[in-house]
Amino acid sequence: MLTDLLKGSLDYRYKGRAMLLNPLDMANYLALLGQLKPAAVIEIGSLEGGRTEWLADMMVALGLPGPVISIDLLPRPPSAHPQVDARIGDARDLARVLPPEELRRLGHPLLVIEDSAHDEATCTAVLDYVDPHLTRGDYVIIEDGAFRDAADSAAVASALSPPSRAIDAFLARRGADYEIDTQSCDRFGYNATFNFNGWLRRT
């Protein structure tokens, strides 16, 4: 089922931009936005920015005035949305593009989405950077733990994908202060999401 959803998601566009968001996780994100009412959304990895535009539109629909800060290595087509703040930067060096003092000014709750390189080192770098800045109720979502490529499968004995390995290692260190949001993971069936055990809530 997830493979079929992936095929459809790769072709789906929002406002003419690739969105790369399947309908189950679209529903999960919309439910979370309404429940969390984030002061800001930080999206790391956005490709053409389809999900960025959708997140900003959903924030407006829910009456939430905060920014959607979108960070990617590559330039995207410019956005006319007043709540979109698109930046060029490296997920492994977030302090350069999203300094700690700015993170502190954003307020809470925060919704952080890591959807960049999907390798273990990058996911770990994002988790380690945002962790000290998150407070109770904030979310960090590690995308695409449902998938791993052939090269990774051949090189690593673990059955877990790189994002899932990063999540497991992070929770082994910091699990006392985080919990997996099983409502989001399992809303449509056990881990019926592209983000296996990747919806993390600060406790």
Side-chain angles (χ1 to χ4, degrees), residues 6-37:
L6 176 62
K7 291 176 183 175
S9 300
L10 291 173
D11 291 332
Y12 188 84
R13 306 184 75 78
Y14 183 76
K15 292 185 173 178
R17 302 171 187 242
M19 191 172 181
L20 305 182
L21 187 60
N22 76 73
L24 302 183
D25 286 331
M26 193 182 300
N28 280 330
Y29 273 117
L30 186 54
L32 182 56
L33 288 172
Q35 165 200 323
L36 186 63
K37 297 179 172 54

Side-chain angles (χ1 to χ4, degrees), residues 4-151:
D4 288 339
L5 283 173
L6 176 62
K7 291 176 183 175
S9 300
L10 291 173
D11 291 332
Y12 188 84
R13 306 184 75 78
Y14 183 76
K15 292 185 173 178
R17 302 171 187 242
M19 191 172 181
L20 305 182
L21 187 60
N22 76 73
L24 302 183
D25 286 331
M26 193 182 300
N28 280 330
Y29 273 117
L30 186 54
L32 182 56
L33 288 172
Q35 165 200 323
L36 186 63
K37 297 179 172 54
V41 177
I42 301 167
E43 178 194 39
I44 304 157
S46 56
L47 196 61
E48 296 175 11
R51 181 181 56 195
T52 313
E53 295 290 319
W54 180 80
L55 286 167
D57 282 345
M58 295 306 100
M59 292 279 281
V60 169
L62 292 165
L64 304 173
V68 177
I69 300 172
S70 173
I71 299 167
D72 200 278
L73 274 173
L74 301 174
R76 284 84 80 202
S79 172
H81 200 294
Q83 285 176 237
V84 169
D85 180 355
R87 306 179 185 186
I88 298 173
D90 188 343
R92 295 198 191 191
D93 191 13
L94 286 174
R96 187 179 297 272
V97 67
L98 187 63
E101 58 271 19
E102 182 180 3
L103 259 175
R104 287 191 289 270
R105 289 196 302 267
L106 289 174
H108 298 276
L110 287 176
L111 170 57
V112 180
I113 302 166
E114 155 50 16
D115 191 19
S116 57
H118 304 126
D119 62 67
E120 188 173 356
T122 303
C123 293
T124 298
V126 171
L127 284 165
D128 288 345
Y129 182 68
V130 301
D131 174 32
H133 305 288
L134 301 183
T135 62
R136 183 180 178 87
D138 290 348
Y139 271 75
V140 57
I141 297 166
I142 305 298
E143 284 267 350
D144 291 338
F147 305 105
R148 56 187 299 189
D149 61 32

